Amino acid sequence: MKRMPVPLNIRDFSQVFRNNGHSLYVVGGAVRDWLLGIENNDWDFCTDATPEQVMAMFRSVIPTGIKHGTVTVIFRKETYEVTTFRTEGAYSDRRHPDSVNYVTDLKEDLSRRDFTVNAFAADCCDGTITDCFDGFRDLKAGIIRAIGNPAERFSEDALRLIRMCRFCSKLGFTADELTFESACSLSQTISCVSKERIYDEMSKILMTRKPSVGLNMMYETGLLKVLIPELDRCASIEQDKVGSDNVLAHILVAVDAAAYYGYSLTVRWAMLLHDIGKPSCMKKIGNFTRFFGHDMKSEEIARRVMLDLKFSNAMQEDVAVLIRNHMTRYNSSWTDGAVKRLVNRVGKQRLDMFFEVLWCDRIASDGKSGIEETDLLKERIDALADQPMTLKDLAVNGNDLYNAGIPRGPEMGRILNALLEMVIDYPTLNNRETLLGQAELLLDSKTSAGK
Ligand code: ATP
Ligand code: MG
């Protein structure tokens, strides 16, 4: 029998359950990852004690997910998420169980879980691992297999379709044949799942070491076609890139590059969506395929996708700006003004991500050529660092203009941008007095032009 080492604080915590006649287990990912030798700091616990019984055992308990039997216990300053063993009623909406019933048998609880390798439980007192569904066998063989009948499990909760792709991606596993076939035939049902859960699960795929594994599986099962049809279409568009014969293949190499370098989730989403507009921009010119204007088109489609998947506003803006500028090709003939205008377009706070996007796109296009230019552009930007490039660098702000009699609104925006244009070309003019004088002139010229 395999035993998982249980840290002392968790053993002490579980002793309280034992003293009250109950048991405590760590379940799911933490046990699976320990068996695989992967670090996992997200420990989920389950118990035969009801939430009320858990609440009676400890002084500090927060009913975080009480509807599903989950409470958060604070014990010696550590927090523990504990869920009562449960079975689930029918899933008429393919996303939530109609009812949840508490049970006292561990096996019953494990049988409601999604995949065999996610259904291990380790006793928190002595670490012994329970494996009711041949999880050890599948872990050894590198297989993601639904527990019981795959079609039934996917019909209960369609999110499991993407979870299958995520675990294959995270663990480098393949899906069991029957599980995979069921996923293919049920791919349409993914549209029943809330967009927030889809965003979370896809983000988790993007954060794996090789996201292309999970994303490819989303493509093969038909999930991508339902969720982001424009991205799915990229697979049927041929292009002349080294190493990738179609646009989706190129995109996936770029996403893997972002993962390889440990770049942020924002950059990974940007890489996933950076060429999504190519299918609508494709032109055949002789033997070549060209995609004029695809940066703008990709931004437009990406904004729609991000809105649909309920990205935060900040994330939408970051990804959109990165996509819009991903075709930037620097050469030494650029004026200082052109360099500064680029910084203004991208935003200083996004410069690192901007260079990361260029780098991943290059790697996925033609190896590493063009990197020298990127380094030179970085040097140019550094050399101009103390010159004004963005509205924040102006010696006046909106309040100053307001106090000088310029009404707030689009007119003020127009004047601030005109002042910025001026100081980008003539940095010495960036002082309060000159700018306020110029602002008044700009306002007057607008007013007299309107007469
Ligand atoms: P990770 O370490 O990547 O978070 P995990 O296995 O811990 O992986 P979680 O999403 O944290 O995954 O879920 C914890 C456990 O809860 C899973 O291992 C699984 O047993 C169960 N589980 C979670 N979501 C579902 C679901 N939608 N359907 C069935 N079981 C689920
Ligand atoms: Mg987890």
Side-chain angles (χ1 to χ4, degrees), residues 283-352:
K283 287 246 154 32
K284 283 267 178 213
I285 302 176
N287 288 333
F288 297 103
T289 315
R290 291 288 175 263
F291 304 97
F292 297 117
H294 79 272
D295 38 4
M296 308 301 267
K297 192 72 190 167
S298 296
E299 180 198 352
E300 181 194 316
I301 299 173
R303 280 190 186 274
R304 235 187 296 133
V305 170
M306 292 191 285
L307 207 61
D308 180 47
L309 290 181
K310 302 196 187 314
F311 281 47
S312 72
N313 289 344
M315 181 94 146
Q316 284 182 41
E317 206 46 41
D318 284 347
V319 172
V321 171
L322 293 171
I323 293 177
R324 182 163 72 232
N325 291 286
H326 85 270
M327 291 299 289
T328 304
R329 298 290 177 261
Y330 169 76
N331 67 58
S332 55
S333 70
W334 281 30
T335 61
D336 282 355
V339 173
K340 288 186 269 184
R341 285 187 176 87
L342 170 75
V343 174
N344 185 40
R345 277 201 304 279
V346 172
K348 281 185 190 168
Q349 77 284 10
R350 297 192 192 98
L351 278 178
D352 285 346

Side-chain angles (χ1 to χ4, degrees), residues 28-30 32 40 42-44 166:
R32 178 200 64 220
N40 185 324
D42 175 29
W43 286 47
D44 299 305
R166 160 153 79 99

